[in-house]
Amino acid sequence: MRVSKMYAPTLREVPSEAEIPSHQLLLRAGFMRKSTNGMYTYLPLAWRVIKKIENIIRDEMDKKGAQEIMMPIMQPAEIWEESGRWGAYGAEMIRLKDRHGHEYCLGPTHEEMVTTVVKSDVRSYRQLPLNLYQIQDKFRDERRPRFGLMRSRDFIMKDAYSFDRDEAGLDVSYQEMYDAYTNIFNRCGLTFRPVEADSGAIGGNGSHEFMVLAESGEAEIVYCPECDYAADVEKAELHTIEATEEAELPMEKVLTPNCKTIEDVCKFLNAPVEKSMKAVAFQSEKGLILCFVRGDHEVNEIKVVNTVGVTEVEMAEPELLAMAGTFGGYMGPVGLDPKKVIIVVDQSVMKMHNICCGANEEGYHFINVNPGRDFTPTYVADIRLMAEGDPCPHCGAPVKKARGIEVGQVFKLFTKYSKAMKATFLDENGKEQPMVMGCYGIGVGRTMAASVEQNNDKDGMIWPAAIAPYEVLVVPVNVKDEESNAKAEAIYKELQNAGVEVVIDDRKERPGVKFKDADLIGYPLRVVVGPKTLTTGELEVKVRRNGEVHMLPLDSDYVGTIKEMLKSL
């Protein structure tokens, strides 16, 4: 490829909407352009990266015996009704009708479709295990598309589905996909961690997310530096904290004027925050949910969703609180009508004594509240968010926190879909059994963006060689100098013939412009040819990642040396 022919329209200014490095740089370097809110057109450089990631995925999936298929993005409503998700999935799913009035959706995921495909042809245990995958567009109508490819509406995903005869077989399939994902992200040159995760709207109760570590990551993970434990904070499970035993005191209602926060209340009452109760109110399809954790803890929204069994929650409106007989800033579990509100209390709160909490009346709090004696919750569960320094649930060492970008996730679906959709097979005894399923997804565009988040500096992107749009850029610093220009062309052709993905910047531009564009795009190696290097009989090869400059003699096997250098990048 010649830069003079390359369609990579760069931008001088950072688009105002772009908040994170990958969004800024992919737009600035001419890798993509916004089509509409949350939707992007991939330009040639980005598409080369996407194809390389896809090819790595295909190679590792095929090695594990998975077979590639292609399913339609538009799916009939009846298969979603059969699984029970047509009305439950939420507003993220685009629903539409054809000219005959039949209902469809744009597939946000393909569990229903692949189950429909497999159940029509798989009859016997001899046809299992089976693993099918595809790489294609999906669509989710995100409420707030942002961060470019990190949270877009239209996106490319690899999704695979395994079908086994029993849970032991699923364990094998799951581990094979876990290992394949580890290989994929290693080959893409990413620093990542597999973490225990929540399965969300997909279902199932066994899952790992593959998180690329980056400061700009929208997800927070916890990990143990002493063992192999790591989890998304939404999933991280905590042990119950046992409070020191003490005698129960009579409950009292006390005036606490202008004290709406835990800090204000505890300071006013001269009470330790560890003996207070924090309240968070959500509204859901099941009604108002009041959640209570210790005053120095935070509520984990996902754990609340899973505990109560709702699809999603959002912060409650004041009108709902008033209808339930409580008041923002002064919420507490004492005296609430269980018919009007769902009360969810963290398991550690139930071990506390003589607690301070809201009295459901503006300006007042209760002191000396004791669980069991003074209130009975609807649910008791682990609903708090793990914090840095909390004990590791595996070994007890203090955990640390990091930010990550989810690029892949593996799920154990078990029989969630096969039972609902009657995807069965006959075992050795001729008895009908539901297939045991797994689901495995990779965000292809997110993987590209995550690589940029992890590999960039003030000058631009720094691509790992395995997924770089091109591996080497040859720069003739003076195209008017016939000798150096001819040598640059010769080197360009030598590298091409040796199988190196190479670009030559043949534009009639100043060297500084060429070097700036090279750094912005992030070619792993830059080969500079000019009158000075020819005089010394050398080539200048600069490594984008660390800025190291290597002078290679022209009478050496510089092509072989360049190929060896690429192997380490």
Side-chain angles (χ1 to χ4, degrees):
M1 175 55 67
R2 296 178 178 277
V3 175
S4 62
K5 302 293 184 183
M6 183 187 290
Y7 185 53
T10 57
L11 301 174
R12 291 185 179 180
E13 301 296 328
V14 177
S16 58
E17 69 188 62
E19 302 174 62
I20 61 174
S22 64
H23 195 188
Q24 296 168 354
L25 292 170
L26 289 170
L27 289 172
R28 279 189 57 213
F31 276 61
M32 66 183 194
R33 286 294 179 263
K34 180 179 177 180
S35 300
T36 187
N37 195 25
M39 299 171 66
Y40 295 87
T41 295
Y42 295 115
L43 301 185
L45 290 176
W47 197 239
R48 287 183 66 88
V49 176
I50 292 291
K51 287 299 182 185
K52 287 189 173 185
I53 295 170
E54 288 182 352
N55 288 338
I56 290 171
I57 290 171
R58 286 189 173 96
D59 186 49
E60 294 296 335
M61 293 298 293
D62 293 349
K63 286 177 182 176
K64 297 297 185 182
Q67 301 172 72
E68 187 171 6
I69 62 173
M70 177 60 74
M71 293 178 280
I73 187 172
M74 198 162 85
Q75 304 177 33
E78 51 262 31
I79 65 174
W80 285 75
E81 288 169 346
E82 190 177 6
S83 73
R85 289 207 298 174
W86 182 253
Y89 198 88
E92 289 79 19
M93 187 164 70
I94 292 286
R95 295 164 171 83
L96 61 157
K97 292 182 179 181
D98 66 8
R99 67 178 68 193
H100 305 294
H102 299 144
E103 287 191 293
Y104 295 86
C105 69
L106 290 183
T109 185
H110 276 71
E111 286 77 25
E112 284 81 1
M113 180 62 72
V114 76
T115 305
T116 300
V117 169
V118 170
K119 77 175 184 178
S120 64
D121 293 300
V122 174
R123 295 281 185 266
S124 168
Y125 71 93
R126 293 187 181 90
Q127 294 170 277
L128 301 174
L130 178 66
N131 190 322
L132 303 176
Y133 77 97
Q134 65 172 355
I135 300 176
Q136 66 138 246
D137 273 11
K138 295 189 186 295
F139 194 93
R140 291 178 191 161
D141 193 10
E142 291 279 356
R143 179 182 297 178
R144 289 186 62 211
R146 57 191 305 212
F147 302 145
L149 301 180
M150 292 300 179
R151 190 180 294 177
S152 58
R153 296 194 293 170
D154 180 274
F155 54 96
I156 302 170
M157 176 173 279
K158 188 286 298 183
D159 48 327
Y161 304 91
S162 64
F163 297 82
D164 284 279
R165 54 187 297 182
D166 53 29
E167 291 188 16
L170 172 60
D171 289 342
V172 173
S173 296
Y174 187 90
Q175 189 61 50
E176 286 180 340
M177 291 296 96
Y178 184 100
D179 293 342
Y181 277 34
T182 300
N183 294 340
I184 288 165
F185 297 124
N186 277 328
R187 287 179 61 182
C188 287
L190 299 170
T191 301
F192 65 95
R193 271 185 177 270
V195 302
E196 294 178 10
D198 181 76
S199 297
I202 300 295
N205 58 7
S207 178
H208 284 84
E209 289 174 341
F210 286 77
M211 291 283 191
V212 170
L213 303 183
E215 285 300 317
S216 56
E218 60 182 346
E220 198 168 29
I221 67 171
V222 290
Y223 65 94
C224 178
E226 302 298 326
C227 72
D228 62 356
Y229 176 76
D232 188 310
V233 289
E234 295 174 343
K235 174 68 175 178
E237 296 179 3
L238 292 144
H239 296 308
T240 302
I241 299 173
E242 299 279 349
T244 304
E245 287 293 333
E246 57 183 90
E248 293 184 355
L249 300 174
M251 184 177 71
E252 297 180 46
K253 185 164 76 172
V254 296
L255 180 65
T256 51
N258 301 315
C259 293
K260 291 189 175 183
T261 69
I262 290 294
E263 291 74 16
D264 291 341
V265 173
C266 291
K267 185 176 180 180
F268 182 82
L269 296 175
N270 195 28
V273 70
E274 295 84 2
K275 295 197 68 173
S276 67
M277 198 189 309
K278 180 183 291 183
V280 178
F282 297 111
Q283 57 193 57
S284 71
E285 70 265 28
K286 288 188 177 181
L288 181 65
I289 304 171
L290 289 189
C291 306
F292 297 94
V293 295
R294 205 172 77 175
D296 55 339
H297 294 163
E298 300 296 332
V299 172
N300 185 324
E301 184 177 310
I302 297 299
K303 289 182 180 179
V304 173
V305 167
N306 292 336
T307 298
V308 181
V310 292
T311 304
E312 60 182 355
V313 295
E314 56 185 35
M315 300 307 293
E317 299 293 336
E319 294 78 12
L320 275 179
L321 299 179
M323 290 171 60
T326 188
F327 194 91
Y330 298 93
M331 293 181 288
V334 179
L336 292 176
D337 185 347
K339 295 179 181 178
K340 295 181 179 180
V341 61
I342 298 168
I343 302 172
V344 186
V345 177
D346 184 67
Q347 57 196 14
S348 293
V349 169
M350 299 302 291
K351 300 295 183 179
M352 294 168 64
H353 313 284
N354 301 319
I355 308 168
C356 163
C357 67
N360 301 311
E361 182 181 346
E362 186 172 10
Y364 289 90
H365 279 77
F366 285 124
I367 60 172
N368 301 328
V369 170
N370 286 276
R373 185 192 72 179
D374 300 318
F375 67 89
T376 302
T378 315
Y379 297 97
V380 176
D382 165 26
I383 61 164
R384 77 177 177 95
L385 207 60
M386 183 177 274
E388 189 160 274
D390 276 329
C392 168
H394 287 186
C395 73
V399 299
K400 293 184 177 294
K401 276 191 173 183
R403 300 207 67 81
I405 300 163
E406 181 198 336
V407 290
Q409 190 165 7
V410 290
F411 306 86
K412 287 183 176 180
L413 297 175
F414 297 99
T415 57
K416 174 181 170 67
Y417 295 92
S418 56
K419 280 186 175 179
M421 303 182 73
K422 299 179 175 59
T424 61
F425 67 96
L426 297 179
D427 64 17
E428 299 97 321
N429 302 314
K431 186 177 180 181
E432 197 171 55
Q433 303 286 355
M435 298 179 203
V436 183
M437 294 174 58
C439 171
Y440 318 95
I442 291 178
V444 180
R446 280 178 71 94
T447 299
M448 175 173 70
S451 180
V452 178
E453 290 297 325
Q454 200 170 69
N455 300 285
N456 71 82
D457 60 18
K458 62 181 179 59
D459 297 315
M461 297 179 281
I462 306 170
W463 290 104
I467 61 172
Y470 291 93
E471 297 169 320
V472 178
L473 174 70
V474 176
V475 182
V477 293
N478 185 354
V479 293
K480 294 179 180 179
D481 181 76
E482 293 185 7
E483 185 181 2
S484 60
N485 191 48
K487 186 60 180 176
E489 289 283 352
I491 293 167
Y492 168 60
K493 291 204 168 44
E494 285 181 78
L495 290 169
Q496 268 189 323
N497 292 336
V500 176
E501 296 176 349
V502 60
V503 182
I504 185 168
D505 195 339
D506 57 341
R507 296 176 297 169
K508 295 178 180 178
E509 290 281 4
R510 300 187 311 274
V513 172
K514 295 182 178 183
F515 295 158
K516 190 170 183 178
D517 283 350
D519 285 345
L520 176 61
I521 291 172
Y523 304 103
L525 291 179
R526 186 182 77 197
V527 177
V528 177
V529 184
K532 288 184 180 179
T533 61
L534 291 184
T535 300
T536 60
E538 295 174 310
L539 288 180
E540 178 188 297
V541 181
K542 184 176 182 180
V543 180
R544 176 68 179 91
R545 181 164 298 281
N546 55 25
E548 288 181 359
V549 175
H550 300 261
M551 303 305 296
L552 306 183
L554 283 170
D555 59 1
S556 68
D557 179 18
Y558 53 78
V559 171
T561 303
I562 287 171
K563 292 181 74 172
E564 285 300 313
M565 291 174 70
L566 287 169
K567 290 179 181 178
S568 64
L569 299 177

